[in-house]
Amino acid sequence: MTSPRRTNEARPRLARAGRGGSLSAAAPPGPFPPAPGPLPLPGRSRAVPGPLPDMAPAIAAEQGGRQRRAATRQHRPELTDEPPRHGLPGDTEALLPARARGYRAELGSILLLLVLYVLQGIPLGLAGSVPLILQSKSASYTDQAFFSFVFWPFSLKLLWAPLVDAVYLRGFGRRKSWLVPTQYVLGLFMIYMSTQVDALLGDGRGRGPDVAALTVTFFLFEFLAATQDIAVDGWALTMLSRENVGYASTCNSVGQTAGYFLGNVLFLALESASFCNKYLRSEPQPRGIVTLADFLFFWGAVFLVTTTLVAFLKKENQELIPAKEETKGITDTYRLLFSIVKMPAVLTFCLLILTSKVGFSAADAVTGLKLVEEGVPKEHLALLAVPMVPLQIILPLVISKYTAGPQPLNTFYKAMPYRLLLGLEFAFLVWWAPKVKHEGGFPVYYYAVVVLSYALHQITLYSMYVAIMAFNAKVSDPLIGGTYMTLLNTVSNLGGNWPSTVALWLVDPLTVKECAGAQGHTCATAAATELCTAAGGSCITTLDGYYVESIVCVILGFAWWFFLGPKFKKLQDEGQSSWKCRRSN
């Protein structure tokens, strides 16, 4: 049995939104800075949810195979690389290409797609690294919650994908009309921000990070990256011939994963003075080899050069004549989405999936930041994602054997309690960290336990993730499959995003601190904390809100599993008619 990542039945990542846009499944969120996901997959689009997105989609959905439903191509003449041969009306056989084309004939287009997806992964990776930088600068968890909105655009791009698909300059190209200006804006914005980002991060001498400005900046980065993703996904269908269109998902997975690695893991390593001094320098220096400003300037220049080459050297196929589309335009697309949501089965699914991930929110959104707070170097935490990549490649192949049948949600239901219990184990890792810390850092066995815990977490996470993707593909109405699946994936992604944001926001209010060494003072607010310090005291944490959240989330998760889980599984027993959308032509 093949993986859902390789079949037409489970290709959510490149599913069409409207007529040509797409929505990626977000990277499955993880508790540590993830390697980009099962693509991909900010949040964790990482594409990730939460401040430490697994690109999976998102590593993913996104987490989450970024693959297109190829089944629609056989009835869509505009998706072939050959001009239609005009025969009898409705003669689809006349649209078949005269001869097959090997991948070598289109190697240039394949490499171009790979480069475009690498560029797309850079803003995702950078956004995933900022929460770790903020945590090392003692940012509050309320600030982290605010910054987590940065990872929402990849989960919401269905809202503007129909616009990207329908509005374009015919003479310049349907996809280039959006791709070129979007990447130019990204490049110029990166270069400009390279002159401002150091000030936004704080000078370390009493002036802290400007979290509001950083959030607006990186939200725009992610919005532009999501828009670029819609354009590239749509272009991939027509840039490659029908025989080679399967390489688009490979370029997507490999390219976005590589881009996320460059923007997150590699950047954090080269930005760290301790890592560079230990492994890359003969004489210690107070700073890393690169700064965030250097990184932004370099990649801004790369964006500008690459976009200029694409604008002048790559032509779109203007002979592709649109025929029968899933939707007739922007208004038709939004009406279709509304009609889908109104169906009882779909509405029940949306309500359940939006609440199903509350039990994982503390573990997925806060654990990595807590480890940094306890002294685990952020670059070491990022590098822990590297050994997970082979596992994340193998897991969908194995799990798909159990989700390819008529009841994929059984796997989701069985994996859920194990993932909930791992949330408590992550809380133990945070509690254990200061106990084993020594002057040289942390012992090897501690990192070994962290990697093993992360690996077990990935098994449960992917079991649930692949099951949901398989179910979405199973119930999607094939007549409007792209739009339908995109909507279901959007809701699934949001089901991980909002609990992560809430979990981060609640850490500070749930934390109890006392002012030691200064009577009559408290540490209830930031102002009270300053007064305590000025009076010669210090704030001591007596109850960490993270541990409170971890226990409460696990309880809520098991309550959902016990009371709502069976109802969620029963959705598999609904007849196909319950999922078919009645729409007027």
Side-chain angles (χ1 to χ4, degrees), residues 30-32 44 359-368 422-424 426 457 546 550:
F32 310 112
R44 29 176 72 206
F360 317 127
S361 56
D364 289 350
V366 189
T367 300
L422 281 171
L424 296 179
F426 288 145
H457 175 267
Y546 167 67
S550 297

Side-chain angles (χ1 to χ4, degrees), residues 44-66:
R44 29 176 72 206
S45 215
R46 178 28 112 27
V48 224
L52 299 176
D54 268 296
M55 283 227 339
I59 156 172
E62 5 24 81
Q63 312 88 52
R66 297 174 49 94

Side-chain angles (χ1 to χ4, degrees), residues 262-308:
L262 292 172
N264 186 281
V265 179
L266 182 63
F267 164 69
L268 288 173
L270 296 181
E271 186 264 349
S272 168
S274 60
F275 181 89
C276 294
N277 291 337
K278 185 175 182 180
Y279 298 106
L280 303 177
R281 287 175 174 151
S282 57
E283 295 184 5
Q285 300 290 332
R287 303 178 65 180
I289 294 177
V290 301
T291 64
L292 183 55
D294 298 332
F295 209 77
L296 285 170
F297 183 87
F298 172 79
W299 284 107
V302 172
F303 265 88
L304 294 180
V305 172
T306 304
T307 306
T308 301

Side-chain angles (χ1 to χ4, degrees), residues 327-408:
T327 56
K328 299 183 179 67
I330 300 175
T331 303
D332 183 62
T333 298
Y334 291 120
R335 286 177 179 171
L336 174 61
L337 292 173
F338 183 67
S339 65
I340 294 173
V341 172
K342 288 194 301 182
M343 293 189 294
V346 175
L347 185 59
T348 301
F349 170 83
C350 291
L351 293 176
L352 291 175
I353 200 66
L354 281 172
T355 55
S356 64
K357 301 175 185 177
V358 171
F360 317 127
S361 56
D364 289 350
V366 189
T367 300
L369 301 178
K370 273 294 175 182
L371 288 174
V372 173
E373 183 181 321
E374 296 296 345
V376 178
K378 60 184 183 297
E379 63 275 9
H380 291 178
L381 203 57
L383 289 171
L384 292 180
V386 176
M388 293 298 106
V389 173
L391 180 65
Q392 290 165 337
I393 294 173
I394 295 171
L395 280 176
L397 300 174
V398 176
I399 296 169
S400 63
K401 296 179 180 179
Y402 304 95
T403 60
Q407 295 186 317

Side-chain angles (χ1 to χ4, degrees), residues 158-200:
L158 176 62
L159 298 178
W160 68 91
L163 180 66
V164 174
D165 185 67
V167 179
Y168 58 94
L169 300 174
R170 184 177 297 273
F172 190 53
R174 185 178 191 178
R175 306 305 173 188
K176 287 172 62 178
S177 295
W178 287 91
L179 176 70
V180 171
T182 297
Q183 290 198 168
Y184 269 133
V185 172
L186 264 171
L188 293 172
F189 195 36
M190 282 183 169
I191 291 176
Y192 170 73
M193 285 308 302
S194 69
T195 66
Q196 305 294 321
V197 71
D198 287 339
L200 295 180

Side-chain angles (χ1 to χ4, degrees), residues 402-410 470-471 474-475 569 571-573:
Y402 304 95
T403 60
Q407 295 186 317
L409 293 184
N410 288 354
F471 178 76
K474 172 178 174 288
V475 301
K569 286 200 302 177
L571 289 174
Q572 302 171 122
D573 301 328

